[in-house]
Amino acid sequence: MDDYQYVRCLFCKTGKEEMVVRAVEEKNWGHALFPKRAKRVRVNGQWQQVLTPLLPGYVFVYFSADSVLYEAFSDLQYVIRVLRYDADEEADVLLGRDREFADWIWRQNGEIGIMKAVQVGDKVEIIDTAFQKLRGTITKMDKRRKTVRVELNTEGAIKGIWLAYDIVSPV
C-alpha cells in the first residue's frame, strides 16, 4: 500500500459512481474506484458473468497528501457526502476495519470475482484467501442466483455485502 497514505469514502448518487471516479481523477485528487462484484445473469438461457457495483453509491478515493480538503470532495457533482466517523471532528479518512476493507478492495483492483465456497449443511464456508482476510459470516444464500450474503465482522460503516460463489465440494 505504498501508493497512497489515506482513503476517503464518498457516498454519491447510485448509478453515478463512474462519473465521480472520473471527476476525482481529472482533478488529480488521487486514484478513485468503486468496487464491483462478479454476478451471474441468465442471457438467452446461458449463465454469463457481469460486473455490478458491490456497494452501490460508494466510491473510494486513495490519495497521498492531505491537501484536498473534505469540502472539495463534498462539492463534486453527484457526491452526497464524504463519510465521517464523527460529525464534530475532521475524521473523514477511513480507519481500522474500514481501512482494511478499502485496502483489500485496492489489492483486488476494485473487482471482486466469483468466490469459492463449500456447503456444510445449512452453512457455507468461504475458502477464497482474499475474502478470509475480511472475516465474515454467511447469513443468507440464494441458490438460484448463486450468491451469498456475508455479514462482515466489523465495527465500521460497511456491514454486509452480497457475493457470488461457486460450490466446489460438500463437506
Side-chain angles (χ1 to χ4, degrees), residues 10-17 34-37 52-59 80 160-162:
L10 311 179
F11 180 58
C12 62
K13 288 183 80 171
T14 302
K16 302 296 183 183
E17 299 91 350
F34 68 99
K36 300 173 206 81
R37 69 179 176 103
T52 61
L54 176 66
L55 302 166
Y58 290 91
V59 172
I80 297 168
I161 54 179
W162 280 94

Side-chain angles (χ1 to χ4, degrees), residues 1-137:
M1 299 302 127
D2 297 334
D3 297 342
Y4 62 89
Q5 187 176 3
Y6 304 104
V7 183
R8 282 193 173 116
C9 185
L10 311 179
F11 180 58
C12 62
K13 288 183 80 171
T14 302
K16 302 296 183 183
E17 299 91 350
E18 188 64 44
M19 296 174 100
V20 172
V21 166
R22 276 191 299 229
V24 168
E25 295 198 349
E26 284 172 4
K27 293 178 181 290
N28 204 25
W29 288 351
H31 179 69
L33 59 84
F34 68 99
K36 300 173 206 81
R37 69 179 176 103
K39 178 180 178 181
R40 288 191 184 94
V41 294
R42 281 186 83 77
V43 178
N44 297 327
Q46 300 278 40
W47 285 104
Q48 292 184 357
Q49 184 173 307
V50 297
L51 290 174
T52 61
L54 176 66
L55 302 166
Y58 290 91
V59 172
F60 292 93
V61 180
Y62 302 83
F63 60 103
S64 294
D66 202 19
S67 59
V68 182
L69 299 175
Y70 168 87
E71 292 79 18
F73 285 102
S74 297
D75 291 340
L76 282 176
Q77 186 176 15
Y78 304 119
V79 172
I80 297 168
R81 64 186 162 92
V82 178
L83 296 188
R84 299 174 83 162
Y85 290 105
D86 189 340
D88 297 332
E89 294 181 23
E90 299 261 339
D92 62 335
V93 294
L94 297 182
L95 305 169
R97 298 291 285 167
D98 291 332
R99 174 60 187 260
E100 289 177 31
F101 182 77
D103 290 346
W104 178 70
I105 294 294
W106 173 270
R107 287 190 302 273
Q108 307 304 313
N109 198 30
E111 295 182 6
I112 312 306
I114 302 293
M115 306 302 288
K116 300 295 181 199
V118 190
Q119 190 168 350
V120 183
D122 291 331
K123 295 183 180 184
V124 177
E125 179 184 353
I126 299 294
I127 58 175
D128 184 86
T129 55
F131 190 77
Q132 284 177 335
K133 196 167 178 95
L134 290 177
R135 297 185 191 98
T137 304

